[in-house]
Amino acid sequence: MTLLRLFRPALLVLALLPAGAMAQDPDERDLQALRFYINENNEQAIRSELRRLQVQFPEWSPPDDLSNLNRDVPPGLVDGIYQLIAREDFAGARDRIEDATRTYPNWTPSADLLQTLSLAEAQREFTAAVDAGNSQAAIRIARATPALLVCERVNNAWLLAEQYQAVGQTDTARGIYRGVADSCTTPDVLVATLEKSASVSNAAQLQEMAALMRNTAPGVAAQINAVETRLLAGLGAAPAPGAAPAEAPAAAGVPVTDATRPEARPATLGQPRPAPAQAPASRTMAAPAPSGAARAAPSGGGGAGYNAVLAAAQAGDWRRCLSLATGAKQPEIVSQRGWCNFNIDRPMQALKDFRAAASSTRDGNLQRDSLYGMALTMLRMNMVDQAASVAAQTHFTPEQRLEIETEILDKRGVAAYERGDYRRAIAYFDEVERLTGRMRRDLAMLKGYAYLNSGQRDRARALFQMLHDQMATAESRRALAAAIQ
């Protein structure tokens, strides 16, 4: 029997199928397995199932965002659930999910949606326990929700350490600070963690913490050295003999740079910016990090409460601003509270306030400026991709957009350099220069080392020579020596 005879019945069946039957898209039953794997975050099974579906349905193309396959409900319904979560209406979000599952039996909420909801609930409970001084409850919530303690939410780790300290468990508090030192690489986070750990450390423990940070993020060594020396002096101790000096020589092709040091930003960042009449300033600037500016009262005003919050913010009395704004629900007060939280380095609270204000106001300017605050806070927390997503969806003022996009490029350039992707780092630094018309000295120095490490020695030497001619320093001499070798 020939193979052709064996396949004749199949060929007959195919001939009898209506035109286009072979090209139809998968139906609900066909997609059930794929949806299950998506909800389980089983990447290998997802890829395998996608291959099977594309063989079976050659004209079908899966969406770029596979989570859309779970959206048998209107996309606006799912987006509305996320908005309820952002407003901390968790009961409303759960009711909406329950209603959707009844109305659309084939739909199940994605793992991301459920995780976002549970994490947001835990965050609110943790913050409430801390604010109420209920240390045991805060500790219990954090233990049950490890996702609260990632580097992107480092403020939670700091607060948790304070809760352990409050109940006398200083060793555990110090262990939390060590966890941050061992995991997080953002310079501001490490410096702040070292300072906070001094309250539960003796001189030897402080030196050990600083050494761990230098090992975790070698590029931050100069900052860590300076803070360590200051803190040890406060404890009446001398610097550790093995601590690297702030001006330690760099190995060839590896810079000692201030690329991520806040103090190395342009001098203009240390000066206040006046707010235009009847419009919010982007922010006023207070060295070493940017700080929030008070908004002018919107037409109709926010009442006496808003005026008092505004006055405290304008005076730079951030804690009084927060005290006056406690419990406020008006979007303009909540947004201003976000700036005050931003100024005293409480990024998680600031992010929550900005998000709440942006989602609840009908004032287009207030929404824009609250989203601007969100993006700045995300960048402070090194949430670069999230900040870029906010920027892509928001019509910022030209000044706001320039600042946000420059900071995003700055961080991505430094990150590319640190992972050894020197050509990409150069591209980011070039774009910073194109956007701003200038290049900060610390980034220019890093760009020179990126040239050197990617084999472009002539370009590195030319850039280092220019920087040395502009201002000769020990760093520029080291850079030139490395490029000439």
Side-chain angles (χ1 to χ4, degrees):
M1 184 179 294
T2 66
L3 287 176
L4 181 58
R5 284 189 65 189
L6 284 172
F7 284 121
R8 247 177 217 152
L11 292 172
L12 179 61
V13 171
L14 293 178
L16 294 175
L17 287 174
M22 288 293 293
Q24 68 182 2
D25 288 346
D27 61 21
E28 295 302 317
R29 287 183 303 171
D30 297 317
L31 292 172
Q32 278 182 345
L34 179 58
R35 286 178 175 145
F36 174 79
Y37 297 140
I38 291 171
N39 283 328
E40 292 294 311
N41 288 321
N42 189 333
E43 294 293 338
Q44 183 175 353
I46 290 171
R47 288 193 295 269
S48 176
E49 184 65 12
L50 280 172
R51 284 194 297 270
R52 186 191 69 79
L53 287 169
Q54 287 177 306
V55 169
Q56 185 176 353
F57 304 99
E59 300 299 321
W60 175 72
S61 296
D64 292 335
D65 183 357
L66 291 179
S67 65
N68 286 330
L69 288 173
N70 279 337
R71 289 187 168 185
D72 294 332
V73 300
L77 190 150
V78 176
D79 294 340
I81 296 173
Y82 277 105
Q83 290 169 9
L84 288 171
I85 295 171
R87 293 199 296 267
E88 296 192 352
D89 183 359
F90 304 133
R94 291 193 180 281
D95 288 344
R96 190 76 61 87
I97 290 172
E98 186 176 345
D99 290 343
T101 55
R102 283 198 301 266
T103 307
Y104 305 93
N106 291 325
W107 177 78
T108 56
S110 68
D112 176 76
L113 176 59
L114 295 178
Q115 183 179 14
T116 300
L117 175 55
S118 63
L119 187 57
E121 288 178 313
Q123 181 66 67
R124 184 172 70 175
E125 292 170 0
F126 177 77
T127 302
V130 170
D131 291 344
N134 191 341
S135 298
Q136 295 292 356
I139 291 169
R140 184 180 67 254
I141 294 165
R143 281 177 171 172
T145 317
L148 288 174
L149 303 178
V150 295
C151 290
E152 291 76 10
R153 295 174 178 258
V154 70
N155 197 54
N156 289 336
W158 292 336
L159 290 172
L160 180 61
E162 292 172 3
Q163 305 315 301
Y164 277 114
Q165 189 176 356
V167 298
Q169 299 184 40
T170 55
D171 287 346
T172 305
R174 189 165 54 255
I176 292 173
Y177 291 132
R178 279 185 59 85
V180 174
D182 194 37
S183 304
C184 305
T185 57
T186 305
D188 290 347
V189 167
L190 292 175
V191 168
T193 301
L194 185 59
E195 291 177 337
K196 292 173 184 295
S197 71
S199 63
V200 292
S201 303
N202 57 32
Q205 291 164 340
L206 189 68
Q207 290 168 340
E208 182 185 1
M209 189 81 69
L212 178 59
M213 291 178 177
R214 284 189 288 266
N215 182 64
T216 301
V220 194
Q223 291 170 265
I224 297 300
N225 292 342
V227 175
E228 178 189 17
T229 299
R230 172 169 55 80
L231 294 173
L232 287 173
L235 293 172
E247 289 295 325
V254 181
V256 175
T257 177
D258 289 336
T260 53
R261 184 184 301 177
E263 296 91 325
R265 301 302 187 194
T268 53
L269 287 186
Q271 306 301 323
R273 294 182 188 172
Q278 297 302 315
S282 313
R283 302 169 289 167
T284 53
M285 295 291 187
S291 58
R295 287 177 49 86
S299 58
Y306 175 75
N307 292 334
V309 172
L310 178 64
Q314 288 174 329
D317 191 346
W318 313 120
R319 295 194 179 278
R320 176 169 171 76
C321 162
L322 293 175
S323 176
L324 292 170
T326 299
K329 299 297 183 184
Q330 301 97 312
E332 60 270 20
I333 297 181
V334 172
S335 184
Q336 184 59 67
R337 187 173 66 205
W339 286 117
C340 295
N341 273 316
F342 185 91
N343 279 318
I344 62 171
D345 200 23
R346 298 176 65 182
M348 286 304 304
Q349 290 89 333
L351 189 59
K352 181 178 74 172
D353 286 336
F354 287 134
R355 182 177 284 119
S359 64
S360 61
T361 184
R362 295 183 179 179
D363 181 334
N365 289 335
L366 177 59
Q367 183 181 57
R368 177 198 63 208
D369 294 323
S370 298
L371 291 169
Y372 175 54
M374 276 180 61
L376 288 173
T377 306
M378 288 171 173
L379 287 169
R380 174 174 285 189
M381 299 167 68
N382 216 32
M383 299 166 62
V384 182
D385 290 342
Q386 293 89 332
S389 177
V390 172
Q393 301 174 54
T394 306
H395 295 292
F396 288 133
T397 66
E399 182 184 18
Q400 289 172 342
R401 181 158 296 283
L402 178 63
E403 184 169 9
I404 293 294
E405 291 187 355
T406 300
E407 186 68 15
I408 289 171
L409 291 166
D410 179 326
K411 286 182 174 291
R412 285 181 170 168
V414 172
Y417 181 91
E418 289 176 345
R419 67 175 180 265
D421 190 350
Y422 302 117
R423 294 187 183 277
R424 189 178 295 271
I426 292 167
Y428 282 131
F429 297 146
D430 284 344
E431 186 64 11
V432 169
E433 188 171 13
R434 187 192 70 79
L435 279 177
T436 64
R438 59 183 174 80
M439 175 71 73
R440 285 203 327 268
R441 184 179 177 88
D442 59 327
L443 288 189
M445 191 68 72
L446 203 61
K447 181 181 175 182
Y449 278 104
Y451 279 139
L452 186 59
N453 290 337
S454 60
Q456 302 178 67
R457 187 172 293 273
D458 290 343
R459 287 190 172 187
R461 183 167 56 247
L463 181 52
F464 289 147
Q465 185 67 61
M466 182 191 73
L467 293 170
H468 186 71
D469 292 343
Q470 289 175 348
M471 185 174 66
T473 65
E475 185 180 22
S476 65
R477 282 190 288 273
R478 284 195 298 271
L480 269 175
I484 292 170
Q485 287 177 355

